[in-house]
Amino acid sequence: MKLYVRAEIVKDEREKLDDIFDEVIYDPWTSDGKRFYEDEMAKVMEEINPDVLITELDQITEKVLSHSQNLKLIVDCRSTPENIDMDAVNKHRMPLIHTPARNAEAVAEMLVGSLVTYLRQIISSNQWVRDGEWQPGTTPYYIWKGHELYSKTVGFVGFGAVARRAAALLTPFGCKMMFYDPYVDQSSGDIKKTDLETIFSQADIVSIHLPVTADTTHMINMKYLSLMKKDTLFVNTSRAAVVDNDALYKVLSAKKIGGAIIDVLNTEPPKTKEDLKLALLDNVLCTPHIYGSTHEVVLHQSEIAVDAMQHFFKKDYANAKLMNPQIMDGVENGK
């Protein structure tokens, strides 16, 4: 069998793949930072004609699958395969492995760090020192007096791997926590399940952790944003599409809420000043979609992906991290 690898996999895990495949073509997108879109990916897949593809960023569509005659398995090094057309994958009866929670630690750690950074005005006060503003007679102790995380109420919208890890990291700070997630049946220890209205009206910090689906697109709109208290901090480290960012801009620019921490924008990278309008507000801390970017994430995704593939080829589908396990009966029976 031939394996085509378009995601970064650490050397130790790549060596394990040599025991499974006769040929491994290692061409991660990180080598040149180039993502393959539909036409180029279809051309490459037709030329290489692999049995298995490991991807992360490349666009996998109906056209790509139609040009992949020998393909038997896709492995996507993402928690949610947003680069893949799931309808096309299921139509082609194509098993799809993903890597859940590969970046949960990275995102959760940066979330906690960003909360402290924002609440204690670290970036602004650092710039104040760099600009030479710390002069005799100034009183930085009073100018840059911030807020503690201690006793703050944090409301998570979505309570998957990232939110759960963030909650664990926030526990020693003495935070009170609650969450909304229709796919989580009950409260988790001291973290109570509640509704969106309660989270937006009562939390001191609202943190968004949602995938992009038809139901979640613009799910966070003015109806909920208008419920927040004047000093509430809004955080979105998931995807821009789940928030009505025009509505968010309105409440932030009018100082109706305390501020926002955002790692995602509607247009990435931003092309115009309009694309940057949220990031340019003085009560917003914006980073360039890097919450899940650590060297350790590559190790995590490598271990998860290779372990899942080993289970898959042993026909242990229950442990193969399949996004679409329901198709395996049909695949096994030649349907």
Side-chain angles (χ1 to χ4, degrees), residues 96-271:
L96 172 64
I97 286 172
H98 68 140
T99 55
R102 65 171 186 139
N103 62 3
E105 185 68 32
V107 178
E109 286 186 12
M110 192 158 175
L111 171 58
V112 175
S114 297
L115 289 174
V116 174
T117 297
Y118 187 97
L119 293 172
R120 298 302 299 273
Q121 305 183 76
I122 291 174
I123 293 176
S124 299
S125 61
N126 172 261
Q127 190 61 50
W128 186 79
V129 174
R130 287 171 175 265
D131 291 343
E133 297 294 332
W134 194 0
Q135 297 291 330
T138 58
T139 53
Y141 180 88
Y142 294 104
I143 294 171
W144 299 109
K145 186 172 288 188
H147 294 277
E148 299 173 1
L149 264 177
Y150 174 72
S151 81
K152 296 292 185 295
T153 298
V154 181
F156 296 99
V157 181
F159 204 58
V162 172
R164 289 171 186 265
R165 183 58 187 147
L169 294 176
L170 286 169
T171 297
F173 284 89
C175 292
K176 305 164 190 173
M177 288 174 277
M178 54 185 169
F179 74 90
Y180 166 81
D181 193 321
Y183 299 101
V184 177
D185 292 335
Q186 58 190 5
S187 300
S188 178
D190 292 333
I191 307 173
K192 303 303 181 184
K193 181 175 181 178
T194 187
D195 52 57
L196 284 172
E197 287 80 2
T198 299
I199 284 179
F200 278 88
S201 62
Q202 296 184 14
D204 301 303
I205 299 166
V206 175
S207 190
I208 308 301
H209 302 274
L210 297 172
V212 179
T213 67
D215 292 332
T216 63
T217 298
H218 281 195
M219 177 177 133
I220 309 305
N221 52 33
M222 187 60 82
K223 171 186 174 182
Y224 299 111
L225 296 173
S226 63
L227 297 176
M228 290 191 289
K229 298 178 293 185
K230 189 173 178 59
D231 58 353
T232 300
L233 179 59
F234 180 85
V235 185
N236 185 13
T237 61
S238 54
R239 291 292 183 269
V242 303
V243 177
D244 180 346
N245 283 302
D246 289 332
L248 180 60
Y249 179 83
K250 288 178 182 177
V251 297
L252 284 165
S253 59
K255 300 294 196 297
K256 291 185 176 180
I257 65 173
I261 297 172
I262 53 176
D263 187 49
V264 286
L265 296 173
N266 285 338
T267 303
E268 297 178 359
K271 298 181 177 63

Side-chain angles (χ1 to χ4, degrees), residues 63-91:
K63 181 176 181 179
V64 172
L65 294 176
S66 296
H67 285 72
S68 307
Q69 297 304 310
N70 283 344
L71 193 63
K72 303 173 182 66
L73 173 68
I74 297 173
V75 181
D76 197 28
C77 290
R78 300 177 74 108
S79 298
T80 305
E82 296 172 12
N83 58 316
I84 294 179
D85 182 340
M86 287 300 298
D87 289 337
V89 164
N90 289 327
K91 173 187 171 184

